[in-house]
Amino acid sequence: MKFRALTTAAIVTLWSASAHSVMAAPLRLGTGSKGGDFDLLGQALVADLAAHGNEVALAPEITKGSCENIRRLLEGSLDFALVQYDVAAEAYRASLSVVPGGADDQFGGWMCKISPELARRADLRTVVAISDSAVHMLVRRPVRLDDLDAIGSAPIFIGKDGSGSFETARVILGAGGKPLEQLQLFNGSADEALAAMGRRELLMMLRTTGRGHADVQDVLDSGLAALNPLPEDVLNRLIDGYPYYRVCPIEPKHYRGGLEFSLPTVCVSAVLLTAQQKSGVVVDTSETVGTLLDSLGRIAADPQHRELGLELRFRGFAEREPIPLHDTAATRESRSNWTAGLEIVGLLIVLGLVIFFGRRALRRRGIATGFAFEGQLSNPLVPFAAFALVVVCSTYLVWWFEHDSNTRLRTLNESFWEMNTFATGNFSADALKTSGARLVGAVATILGLGLLAWFTAALTNIFAQDQTRLWRRTREHFVVLNFREDMLPLIRLLRAPGPARLRSLHVVVPDALPKRVRLQLGKIKALTIHYDNPEAPENLAALRLPRASRVIVLGGEAESRSATSYDPLRIARAVHQACARDPHNLALQGKSGHAARAITVASSSEQTSRVPLQLPVTLVETSESEPDEIFEPFSGWLVPIDNRQLGYTWMATACRDPAFAEFFSGIVAFSDANAEVYTIALPAPVHGQTWQTLRRALYALPAPERGGGVVPLGLYRASVSEETRRPSAHADLRTRLLLNPPLGTRVAAGDMLVALCEDETTLQQLVRHLRASA
Amino acid sequence: MAAVASTQGDALGRLVVVNWTVEALGLVRALQDLGATDLVLVGTSPATAVEANLLAARALGEVRYLEASVAAGVETFAEFLVRSVEVGTAQSVIVLPHRGRGETDAFSRLTCTAIHRACRGQPPRIVVAVEDPEATHEFAGLGVATIFYPGFLRAALLAHACVDLGVLRFMFALLRGKLRVQSWPLPAELRSKSFRDACLAVEADPEGRPVTVLGLFTAEAGMLVNPGPAYTLAAATGLLVLTGQDA
């Protein structure tokens, strides 16, 4: 045991000494060609480490690019390397392939011809992704390539062999079915290629560089070439076969004046790689990696190095990221995720506290803050807002799932419109590639359909409620009290086309009304049925009678009058009481109104009649047993109509004047003839004229093209004594009708003309002519 | 201006009311208010039951009550109308609805049939009050001049009151007898003129009271209310005039 312990201590001591010697030596960093972005980054790292007095010494080495870097990293001649991620991922995949013994040479098809044997020498680890590069397809103007087959045998430039750009271009052309052997490649530098393009010797250049790169901007500015999009089928095949790329757009903002629309292409990241050799001494590079990450962070934040386009990311820089993160990078990523999570939780807590204390403060001030979800069910804004939320959330989620791999969802804008399509019920599995996105799309479709149904139902409900509210409105409305079956024609007339049709109609029906009649009433639009005792003023309160245009009180059936039938006089009293108790009248009466409202043992008639009430014009159907004198106290606002006696008078008159029956029927029934009676205000110019002059002027008016003219019947003269109370029932009922007035009668201000005409509009037109001619 | 005596006169002549009951005492009153002096009331109630109710009416003119009904048979009732009522000499016959005898309007139609037979196809002016407006066509060919539907009158009056109180007042004025709708002969000097000319020419009755020309009558179209100012009077057979005053 003692020997074993001593041996172990010796090995640890030797390993520590060896590691220390390794750490003390400069770290070899493979960059790229001299003067390139990778070279500049290497120099920046050296400068930064030196500036911060780190023990880590970095020795950047100029290389030919990603291919040399990955190769040397695997061989162990570099400690760190800047490599394009597609090249690195291919090497990692090569290390995982199973190769039969002795057949290694047959497996050199990976990028940069990395053999599996070489790849297996070291374990690659990603430190961090540092920048993005996009594939730029520059095509000589005015040619535009929609298909790579169009290249034919024309010379193209895809970069220097051995560079990451070259390897990327190779797989892109391969995805388009163009192996390099079939293409005429331009051998030379990028500058030489541009010169060749200027001489029209080069058709196309494929360059993998950062978006907004100055060289590309110069080319676009020169007008030699234009950026073309990578064909969609090529993009899809590329992503499917090489998921180390991701779909990304080149936006107009990247090149001023060089692009009108966004161009789809692929992006690939450059990563800082390290490798742990499988043979030899295990070196702990945790501290070194941490130091490099810190340094990279500082350089990325330094405005002086903005042109390098550094954007450090541990994840999410490729569709698939097979190379594991270095332990230190993984720890940093985990810490970063935790920090972000805690920040979100903290924000939510703050938000919750703000809402909690805000609500409490509002409640203390008596302001309702409850959402009342049940009350919001009929609010169409709720499903609309929910729909918008679903679309927005699914837009982001689907974009997050697919923007690297789906050419149709490169931007949030495209994802938004796609999700609108989904949420309105047009699910399409072909539009999405990943299972996660499809799941989100399916959920968005189901939720969207439900929310749209809710939205539609809420809107329909509003329309129905508005219509119902319109029907039930209690302003300028008609009220029929104590309705009976034989008055159905009255309802039909009031609902017939004409001015009365637009008024809401409230019908109070007695219990004795047969069910079939109630059902018939229920089918009539804009009619509200009230099942109440019309003799009780309380039952009439909801009808807002003072604001009614007309109140019609019907008598009971003559044949079936019993102790349970309602009496028109008692109903008229109830109308008066209901009006007296109406808030509008109470407000007019003030304290005296409230006093009169109270039922007491005795009250003086003076007290009750001191303040005039706002009452509707009320028509009461009376009978022979109820002489008009009974209704005398209500004469200011009530018109008793003995319909039965009027019927007898009608028959008697029809016997005396044979033409009466036909004429009366015509004007009552609004027949097609020009025989409808209307009243209309007379214009000021005719005031003071005699009835004869006015009549002759009306006869002289040209008749409308179709229909008759106007036949003046008389004047409808407003009551002078009630002038101040207009509009009121009292004023209406004191208006005098002068039919066939003496020819010398002077037309007074406020007089209305009673005339026969085709319709009200025609009468208005003719009276307008009268005004003009006067 | 020469007046047409047949339509401008006030006399109602001899009147017969069939299916009369005590509840229709108001009709007697209305007829007498318009000047009826010779009334024959035919009903199913025993004469002894109605006599007391007719005392007041009889003070204003001759009112006779006879107990009979078409329920006894159309022929029997027709013979009764000829023999006892002398319906052929009446100027007008009013047929009231008779409730409690099957379908009311069908009963009225049988009554009209009896009147038609009693008058051998040339009945006087018949005014029938129906309860169901759909029964109107059943009276075709029975010489009925006017079919009156009281239910519609009630509804129309109230409906017009809802729209325009002025129009309701106008209807009341027509019903209360102060105004009259009469047919006047067309003055010869207007025959080649227009309706406007007639309106301007006919402004007062022979007594100088103001009148209003409402329309005209033609042989083809019958009554034409407000035919239009340019309508020619060549084919007119008479004028429809509103007379009287209501103020």
Side-chain angles (χ1 to χ4, degrees):
Chain A
M1 285 295 287
K2 192 177 280 183
F3 173 76
R4 246 177 112 179
L6 285 170
T7 308
T8 307
I11 291 171
V12 169
T13 307
L14 281 171
W15 178 82
S16 300
S18 168
H20 184 73
S21 63
V22 168
M23 291 300 289
L27 293 168
R28 298 156 297 175
L29 170 67
T31 55
S33 58
K34 190 171 184 181
D37 286 347
F38 287 177
D39 179 33
L40 294 175
L41 177 59
Q43 292 172 21
L45 278 170
V46 171
D48 182 79
L49 290 171
H52 287 83
N54 286 101
E55 291 181 358
V56 175
L58 201 62
E61 295 186 15
I62 302 296
T63 64
K64 290 180 180 177
S66 292
C67 284
E68 184 184 338
N69 286 352
I70 192 70
R71 189 176 293 280
R72 289 183 58 187
L73 193 64
L74 291 168
E75 288 169 352
S77 60
L78 288 176
D79 300 308
F80 293 92
L82 294 167
V83 183
Q84 227 171 250
Y85 193 70
D86 50 347
V87 173
E90 283 273 294
Y92 184 79
R93 279 184 66 186
S95 72
L96 300 178
S97 61
V98 179
V99 183
D104 202 46
D105 291 343
Q106 298 175 17
F107 291 84
W110 306 102
M111 278 187 181
C112 299
K113 297 177 183 171
I114 300 293
S115 69
E117 185 274 330
L118 177 61
R120 278 197 293 269
R121 288 188 195 172
D123 289 330
L124 292 175
R125 291 291 180 270
T126 304
V127 176
V128 69
I130 55 169
S131 63
D132 253 356
S133 295
V135 174
H136 292 67
M137 188 163 82
L138 287 159
V139 181
R140 191 182 70 220
R141 294 183 70 194
V143 180
R144 288 194 72 82
L145 292 179
D146 289 333
D147 191 345
L148 295 184
D149 288 338
I151 295 172
S153 58
I156 61 171
F157 174 76
I158 61 171
K160 289 182 182 175
D161 191 6
S163 68
S165 183
F166 181 89
E167 291 298 320
T168 302
R170 189 167 68 88
V171 294
I172 288 172
L173 292 166
K178 292 284 178 186
L180 294 186
E181 297 76 33
Q182 295 180 6
L183 296 167
Q184 189 182 344
L185 299 181
F186 180 84
N187 293 314
S189 66
D191 292 338
E192 290 167 350
L194 277 174
M197 187 172 274
R199 297 191 301 272
R200 308 183 71 79
E201 293 171 3
L202 194 68
L203 176 66
M204 189 259 281
M205 293 174 69
L206 272 176
R207 288 195 64 180
T208 304
T209 184
R211 286 173 288 185
H213 198 278
D215 289 352
V216 178
Q217 180 72 60
D218 292 343
V219 173
L220 296 176
D221 289 345
S222 71
L224 285 175
L227 278 169
N228 279 206
L230 282 179
E232 190 173 330
D233 57 335
V234 173
L235 281 174
N236 285 327
R237 282 198 289 269
L238 186 67
I239 296 294
D240 291 344
Y242 297 88
Y244 326 115
Y245 303 106
R246 66 175 198 282
V247 177
C248 65
I250 300 174
E251 305 283 356
K253 67 181 179 185
H254 293 130
Y255 297 104
R256 58 173 199 289
L259 280 178
E260 296 295 334
F261 302 102
S262 164
L263 288 181
T265 185
V266 287
C267 284
V268 63
S269 290
V271 293
L272 179 62
L273 281 182
T274 185
Q276 181 65 55
Q277 296 297 317
K278 290 182 179 174
S279 60
V281 180
V282 177
V283 179
D284 183 7
T285 54
S286 303
E287 193 179 340
T288 313
V289 167
T291 305
L292 286 176
L293 285 173
D294 292 339
S295 182
L296 282 170
R298 287 192 293 271
I299 294 169
D302 189 349
Q304 286 185 347
H305 300 294
R306 187 177 294 163
E307 287 185 357
L308 293 175
L310 295 188
E311 188 184 355
L312 305 183
R313 283 183 290 180
F314 295 111
R315 301 277 180 198
F317 52 86
E319 176 67 14
R320 295 274 191 278
E321 291 149 12
I323 305 173
L325 278 176
H326 188 275
D327 289 345
T328 304
T331 305
R332 294 266 179 120
E333 183 207 18
S334 176
R335 193 192 306 156
S336 171
N337 289 343
W338 270 103
T339 306
L342 288 172
E343 282 175 357
I344 291 171
V345 170
L347 275 174
L348 289 174
I349 289 172
V350 169
L351 187 66
L353 288 173
V354 167
I355 291 172
F356 175 75
F357 286 112
R359 275 190 72 181
R360 205 165 72 165
L362 290 172
R363 277 183 183 173
R364 282 179 180 173
R365 295 183 181 184
I367 300 169
T369 55
F371 180 68
F373 183 76
E374 287 178 8
Q376 300 297 329
L377 281 173
S378 57
N379 183 354
L381 291 178
V382 173
F384 184 79
F387 182 85
L389 189 66
V390 166
V391 170
V392 168
C393 290
S394 59
T395 293
Y396 184 76
L397 286 173
V398 165
W399 174 82
W400 187 76
F401 274 118
E402 300 248 321
H403 74 283
D404 289 343
S405 59
N406 194 335
T407 53
R408 294 173 63 174
L409 300 170
R410 301 186 311 269
T411 63
L412 278 171
N413 182 47
E414 289 170 335
S415 180
F416 173 75
W417 295 115
E418 193 68 43
M419 282 304 102
N420 266 295
T421 310
F422 273 59
T424 49
N426 299 297
F427 179 84
S428 167
D430 296 339
L432 305 174
K433 293 178 79 171
T434 61
S435 299
R438 284 176 179 169
L439 182 66
V440 172
V443 171
T445 304
I446 293 166
L447 284 176
L449 284 174
L451 291 168
L452 282 178
W454 180 4
F455 179 72
T456 310
L459 274 186
T460 309
N461 188 39
I462 282 178
F463 295 145
Q465 278 185 348
D466 274 0
Q467 198 172 23
T468 306
R469 208 174 293 132
L470 196 68
W471 293 348
R472 292 183 178 176
R473 68 182 172 200
T474 49
R475 183 176 287 279
E476 294 293 310
H477 53 299
F478 299 138
V479 179
V480 180
L481 301 173
N482 198 27
F483 182 80
R484 63 172 194 270
E485 183 175 6
D486 69 324
M487 292 309 282
L488 279 171
L490 169 64
I491 305 298
R492 290 197 193 103
L493 280 170
L494 290 176
R495 295 300 84 169
R501 193 183 199 179
L502 302 175
R503 308 274 183 86
S504 59
L505 177 57
H506 296 256
V507 180
V508 179
V509 300
D511 296 336
L513 192 73
K515 188 180 177 184
R516 59 185 163 78
V517 184
R518 295 182 188 195
L519 292 174
Q520 206 167 344
L521 281 178
K523 291 177 185 173
I524 298 170
K525 277 188 176 180
L527 184 147
T528 309
I529 305 174
H530 303 263
Y531 301 97
D532 276 324
N533 172 6
E535 292 182 356
E538 296 80 8
N539 296 339
L540 306 182
L543 295 171
R544 305 302 303 272
L545 293 178
R547 302 197 303 185
S549 175
R550 297 283 187 276
V551 175
I552 296 172
V553 179
L554 299 177
E557 292 278 6
E559 292 77 16
S560 61
R561 281 198 177 176
S562 61
T564 57
S565 68
Y566 300 115
D567 184 80
L569 179 60
R570 288 201 296 268
I571 298 173
R573 285 188 195 130
V575 168
H576 188 271
Q577 283 298 310
C579 290
R581 297 174 189 187
D582 187 83
H584 177 70
N585 272 322
L586 287 175
L588 286 176
Q589 295 170 79
K591 288 182 180 178
S592 62
H594 288 278
R597 185 180 158 197
I599 297 173
T600 59
V601 175
S603 62
S604 69
S605 58
E606 287 178 6
Q607 184 187 5
T608 54
S609 61
R610 191 178 299 158
V611 183
L613 295 174
Q614 182 78 32
L615 291 155
V617 173
T618 303
L619 306 143
V620 179
E621 195 182 39
T622 62
S623 65
E624 197 176 358
S625 61
E626 295 157 332
D628 289 355
E629 288 75 12
I630 287 180
F631 295 96
E632 185 59 31
F634 311 122
S635 62
W637 52 278
L638 185 146
V639 182
I641 300 174
D642 185 351
N643 272 324
R644 180 181 284 259
Q645 189 58 40
L646 285 172
Y648 291 144
T649 308
W650 193 96
M651 285 192 284
T653 310
C655 290
R656 186 184 65 175
D657 298 323
F660 164 81
E662 191 177 347
F663 174 74
F664 193 93
S665 298
I667 60 170
V668 160
F670 295 103
S671 63
D672 291 337
N674 309 320
E676 294 176 10
V677 182
Y678 295 100
T679 59
I680 188 169
L682 285 166
V686 302
H687 294 167
Q689 290 183 1
T690 63
W691 170 244
Q692 187 177 38
T693 309
L694 171 64
R695 205 163 76 151
R696 288 183 174 184
L698 287 166
Y699 286 139
L701 289 175
E705 194 173 327
R706 296 176 64 188
V710 57
V711 174
L713 299 170
L715 296 169
Y716 197 45
R717 178 158 291 175
S719 165
V720 177
S721 63
E722 298 289 344
E723 188 66 33
T724 55
R725 294 179 62 180
R726 293 171 79 82
S728 74
H730 295 75
D732 287 344
L733 295 184
R734 274 162 183 71
T735 304
R736 291 171 59 214
L737 186 66
L738 308 173
L739 290 169
N740 273 345
L743 297 173
T745 305
R746 296 277 174 189
V747 177
D751 279 359
M752 298 179 84
L753 174 71
V754 184
L756 274 175
C757 205
E758 183 183 6
D759 53 42
E760 197 170 15
T761 309
T762 306
L763 182 60
Q764 287 167 352
Q765 286 175 356
L766 288 169
V767 170
R768 215 173 293 134
H769 283 304
L770 184 69
R771 183 186 290 120
S773 60
Chain B
M1 187 185 299
V4 180
S6 61
T7 56
Q8 283 184 262
D10 288 337
L12 276 166
R14 188 162 176 272
L15 288 165
V16 176
V17 182
V18 185
N19 298 331
W20 185 85
T21 60
V22 174
E23 284 76 32
L25 203 58
L27 177 60
V28 175
R29 209 163 39 241
L31 288 166
Q32 288 186 326
D33 285 348
L34 292 183
T37 53
D38 189 355
L39 288 174
V40 178
L41 310 176
V42 179
T44 55
S45 305
T48 51
V50 301
E51 285 301 329
N53 295 292
L54 291 172
L55 287 176
R58 280 182 175 141
L60 297 172
E62 187 179 344
V63 179
R64 205 151 54 102
Y65 179 79
L66 300 170
E67 182 184 347
S69 164
V70 77
V74 173
E75 292 301 331
T76 307
F77 189 61
E79 194 178 328
F80 166 79
L81 289 174
V82 171
R83 197 164 22 85
S84 305
V85 180
E86 297 175 23
V87 69
T89 64
Q91 187 169 314
S92 302
V93 178
I94 296 173
V95 179
L96 296 176
H98 180 66
R99 296 186 182 87
R101 279 282 181 178
E103 209 283 319
T104 308
D105 294 331
F107 198 80
S108 296
R109 190 176 63 81
L110 292 178
T111 304
C112 290
T113 306
I115 296 168
H116 194 255
R117 289 184 186 175
C119 299
R120 298 187 179 182
Q122 291 185 325
R125 178 176 182 75
I126 301 176
V127 177
V128 183
V130 296
E131 293 204 328
D132 183 359
E134 302 300 325
T136 306
H137 70 279
E138 295 170 18
F139 293 87
L142 298 177
V144 176
T146 303
I147 299 171
F148 173 54
Y149 174 38
F152 187 80
L153 176 70
R154 286 193 291 268
L157 285 175
L158 293 170
H160 276 282
C162 289
V163 178
D164 193 333
L165 277 178
V167 179
L168 177 74
R169 293 278 185 83
F170 174 67
M171 290 174 183
F172 277 174
L174 286 174
L175 286 170
R176 283 168 180 163
K178 291 182 179 176
L179 294 169
R180 293 188 62 180
V181 179
Q182 296 180 320
S183 55
W184 284 11
L186 181 69
E189 64 270 20
L190 292 175
R191 193 156 297 280
S192 59
K193 301 286 181 62
S194 65
F195 181 68
R196 176 187 287 122
D197 297 323
C199 292
L200 291 169
V202 183
E203 288 189 314
D205 66 4
E207 284 76 39
R209 291 172 299 204
V211 298
T212 303
V213 178
L214 301 171
L216 48 84
F217 294 92
T218 65
E220 279 187 3
M223 182 194 290
L224 284 176
V225 180
N226 187 16
Y231 192 90
T232 178
L233 301 178
T237 57
L239 293 175
L240 181 70
V241 183
L242 180 72
T243 64
Q245 274 184 296
D246 188 77

